[in-house]
Amino acid sequence: MSTSFNDLVFSFTLEESLEHWQLQTLHETATDPTLGEVATLSGYLIYRCMLDGNFLVMMDMESDEIHEFGIALFDRNGILKPRLKTGYRSGTGCWGDELNDDALAYIADITVKDEYRRKGSGSLLLKGLRESEHKSQISNIVSWPFAKNDPGVNAFFAKNGFRRIGVRTPNILRIDSWLPMTCTKVSRKNFLCLHRAMFSDMSESIAQVIRRAHEAEPQSLYAPDQVGFLPMHVAVRSKNTIAFNTLLELGRAEDLQNHHNADGATPVELLRNGMVNDREFTETLLSAKWSGCSDVELSMEYAAKTAMGMDTGCATLQDYINQNKHGCTCGRCLGGWLSPRMMYQLEVQAALSMDTMPVIGDLMFKKRQAIDAFDVRSLYNGEFIPPLHYPNLYLSFYRGYTVVFRAAYEVLERSSLLTADTGGKVEYVLDATTSGASNQSMIGDRDFYATFGDDEAFVALPTCTNDNEFGLVRRMVGLDPKKQWAPYNRSRDDDDSDEEVFGGMASGGMLDSAAMMAFMQRLLQVNQG
């Protein structure tokens, strides 16, 4: 007798993670009025706002599976990796920036009772999720059959309209765009002898090994291993510059364009991906300061692009290293780290401050009186003024503070010099401007994008990995991350003492003036040019 599930009732529960409110466990149950529970779905509802660069940390704390999923697609801010948006590495090629929309529903498991399998109940679970009251919270539904390596699971999601992003990465279902995929798993074992030698021998002798192999058997220089990697891929992945240069000397530049392998990557892409992964590992899992891409990696990348006839955007190797040291992917970052979109966000924040602060100042201050210490938090950007200044925080100081915001805006916009007046040191303004822009960015509450995301001037700017690297900008302009910075005040409880509210951070952080001046000079050079 056939079973009909026309009367299934779907119920949902959501439970916040103890560590991060942005990660919620999701459970859906399909119940038939007569048969009882038929099937269940479990997974996660994942928000990517207000994480301050800790997206991958959050994923790692929950489970290995969703951490591996996270690093396959996103950077530490939860932004889609650029290499997955265009070209052959984009897989089906249908996905782009829409995957940066905030909320994802990640499907970890679907369980159907044995007697009700192959009757459509699993598909109805997916439909129930798509049409549930949670629809408004979810931009995309994600599955990752690769994690389970089950062809049947692959076929199930393909049947239900999921489409792959990337060559070996997850399936995505856009809530308003039902679109399928295949996925395979391969082994990386059994490297050829020449491949092994390149990994183990970094000395000059590897050049002779390669030359002897070429003389004895020329095809060994372009023989793939069992997962498709050529010797050129191995030389690049192992950062073996001697092997790399020897292969180029022997005429293997054409291998730099080969992507017929398990990762679907050319040697240049493997090199760049390695640099990105090193950065994410250092900053996310080690919580350490990333010192930039190594000169060795950048030298290899420059040589590879030159051999391929690609435009490096730089006249010399040293120019290329300087431009790309800090992860620039747009070719237009000022100093290699301040991207055009980052500069636009900072400019907007500075303009908002210089327009708002005079109005607030006139309302909050009384003539010839310093403002009350507990009213400072009500001032616009007041939380960025250290308590050291509270006894003498008159309107003249706040106006001087405003002048520095205006100067910062003019530097970003019109090439004017940054100078301070009778209050508000430069470091307070840089702290306030970078913090405010970060809070409204893709890694904050995204208010900037809600207001300016469609602005023609902003849309026309190139995207870059550094568009959301506010921590990098703060370090580069001289805001030492080891020092105490704002906010310097907080809401006071009835039993808090003055020392508990303000103590231990009265003077604030100190600006590295040399770094700040170098930053301002770069701005002026670009703007005047």
Side-chain angles (χ1 to χ4, degrees):
M1 183 177 72
S2 62
T3 303
S4 173
F5 294 120
N6 294 331
D7 297 324
L8 283 180
V9 176
F10 303 98
S11 58
F12 297 86
T13 59
L14 288 172
E15 183 176 347
E16 285 188 10
S17 163
L18 295 177
E19 299 291 337
H20 295 91
W21 66 264
Q22 295 95 334
L23 183 65
Q24 302 178 18
T25 56
L26 168 68
H27 189 80
E28 177 187 5
T29 303
T31 306
D32 183 89
T34 304
L35 303 173
E37 183 178 296
V38 173
T40 60
L41 178 152
S42 61
Y44 301 92
L45 190 59
I46 304 167
Y47 294 94
R48 287 169 289 171
C49 62
M50 307 299 290
L51 277 166
D52 195 25
N54 290 316
F55 173 75
L56 297 178
V57 173
M58 176 183 76
M59 303 291 270
D60 184 47
M61 293 177 68
E62 187 62 30
S63 74
D64 289 343
E65 179 179 326
I66 66 166
H67 179 243
E68 290 173 5
F69 152 72
I71 61 177
L73 270 100
F74 304 106
D75 65 16
R76 62 192 180 88
N77 294 313
I79 306 299
L80 183 68
K81 292 181 176 180
R83 66 176 183 266
L84 296 175
K85 292 193 288 188
T86 59
Y88 54 85
R89 297 213 69 199
S90 64
T92 51
C94 64
W95 299 115
D97 288 333
E98 66 272 13
L99 294 188
N100 291 329
D101 292 350
D102 186 20
L104 297 170
Y106 179 90
I107 299 174
D109 184 66
I110 293 178
T111 302
V112 180
K113 288 190 173 181
D114 291 344
E115 60 268 35
Y116 305 131
R117 291 185 176 182
R118 301 188 181 280
K119 300 180 184 297
S121 56
S123 297
L124 289 172
L125 270 175
L126 290 176
K127 183 180 180 182
L129 177 60
R130 186 183 66 145
E131 297 178 351
S132 73
E133 68 271 22
H134 302 291
K135 175 181 178 180
S136 61
Q137 298 173 259
I138 302 170
S139 302
N140 303 287
I141 301 176
V142 185
S143 71
W144 200 18
F146 175 73
K148 302 171 178 62
N149 195 31
D150 186 336
V153 175
N154 278 321
F156 169 76
F157 285 107
K159 180 183 71 173
N160 281 280
F162 284 64
R163 175 161 286 189
R164 185 187 67 222
I165 177 170
V167 179
R168 301 171 62 233
T169 46
N171 303 317
I172 309 289
L173 175 64
R174 182 74 174 175
I175 281 291
D176 55 4
S177 177
W178 289 73
L179 295 167
M181 74 137 276
T182 59
C183 192
T184 58
K185 188 174 183 178
V186 294
S187 170
R188 294 177 181 268
K189 297 179 180 178
N190 301 320
F191 280 25
L192 302 179
C193 292
L194 188 57
H195 293 64
R196 290 196 192 100
M198 290 184 187
F199 267 118
S200 60
D201 188 353
M202 300 291 172
S203 70
E204 293 287 345
S205 63
I206 189 62
Q208 294 304 317
V209 172
I210 296 171
R211 292 184 188 280
R212 285 197 296 268
H214 178 248
E215 292 170 0
E217 196 172 4
Q219 62 267 34
S220 65
L221 266 61
Y222 54 89
D225 62 19
Q226 290 192 351
V227 293
F229 289 115
L230 307 183
M232 183 65 81
H233 288 91
V234 178
V236 166
R237 172 166 277 182
S238 60
K239 303 175 189 176
N240 194 327
T241 56
I242 297 173
F244 172 75
N245 290 328
T246 303
L247 289 171
L248 287 181
E249 290 170 10
L250 293 174
R252 298 314 309 168
E254 63 185 271
D255 296 341
L256 292 167
Q257 313 225 28
N258 183 287
H259 59 84
H260 302 297
N261 51 68
D263 280 358
T266 68
V268 175
E269 289 171 331
L270 286 180
L271 189 59
R272 173 53 57 177
N273 296 346
M275 289 186 271
V276 171
N277 292 339
D278 286 347
R279 178 179 189 173
E280 291 179 349
F281 180 78
T282 300
E283 294 182 333
T284 302
L285 298 181
L286 298 182
S287 299
K289 178 182 176 181
W290 178 64
S291 58
C293 302
S294 74
D295 289 359
V296 170
E297 291 169 308
L298 292 172
S299 297
M300 292 179 72
E301 187 176 55
Y302 180 81
K305 288 183 175 181
T306 301
M308 295 167 68
M310 296 174 62
D311 181 13
T312 64
C314 299
T316 67
L317 170 60
Q318 191 57 53
D319 289 343
Y320 188 82
I321 291 174
N322 294 340
Q323 180 62 40
N324 293 276
K325 184 74 173 177
H326 298 287
C328 172
T329 56
C330 68
R332 288 176 54 185
C333 281
L334 183 61
W337 53 270
L338 185 64
S339 75
R341 289 195 170 203
M342 172 64 77
M343 192 182 299
Y344 192 103
Q345 293 177 81
L346 297 176
E347 180 186 325
V348 166
Q349 190 63 35
L352 180 62
S353 295
M354 75 177 191
D355 289 342
T356 305
M357 290 173 65
V359 178
I360 299 299
D362 288 343
L363 290 174
M364 294 289 296
F365 284 90
K366 297 177 181 178
K367 282 187 176 183
R368 300 182 181 86
Q369 290 186 28
I371 194 169
D372 185 272
F374 288 98
D375 287 334
V376 173
R377 63 175 177 266
S378 299
L379 290 173
Y380 197 86
N381 289 323
E383 68 268 33
F384 297 95
I385 303 174
L388 172 71
H389 298 290
Y390 291 0
N392 297 303
L393 214 171
Y394 293 87
L395 179 58
S396 59
F397 180 101
Y398 193 66
R399 284 176 174 169
Y401 188 28
T402 305
V403 166
V404 187
F405 278 98
R406 181 176 297 278
Y409 170 78
E410 289 176 349
V411 167
L412 291 164
E413 175 67 12
R414 304 189 189 93
S415 307
S416 296
L417 288 171
L418 181 60
T419 56
D421 202 292
T422 54
K425 291 185 177 180
V426 171
E427 53 261 46
Y428 311 159
V429 172
L430 294 175
D431 188 16
T433 302
T434 52
S435 296
S438 176
N439 291 338
Q440 297 182 32
S441 71
M442 288 293 287
I443 64 174
D445 59 20
R446 305 191 176 201
D447 280 356
F448 172 86
Y449 281 82
T451 305
F452 296 97
D454 295 327
D455 186 87
E456 290 184 7
F458 182 73
V459 172
L461 297 174
T463 59
C464 183
T465 299
N466 288 333
D467 289 344
N468 297 293
E469 293 296 335
F470 291 93
L472 174 63
V473 170
R474 288 174 64 86
R475 291 197 302 272
M476 298 302 288
V477 300
L479 298 176
D480 187 346
K482 296 179 182 179
K483 303 296 184 180
Q484 173 67 51
W485 297 101
Y488 296 110
N489 52 46
R490 58 179 174 84
S491 298
R492 181 176 188 168
D493 296 329
D494 291 340
D495 56 352
D496 282 345
S497 67
D498 288 354
E499 177 64 22
E500 289 174 319
V501 176
F502 298 123
M505 52 185 177
S507 61
M510 295 298 292
L511 183 70
D512 181 339
S513 58
M516 188 275 292
M517 289 306 298
F519 164 60
M520 301 311 302
Q521 289 170 1
R522 290 193 192 103
L523 281 177
L524 290 172
Q525 289 168 0
V526 168
N527 287 334
Q528 290 171 351

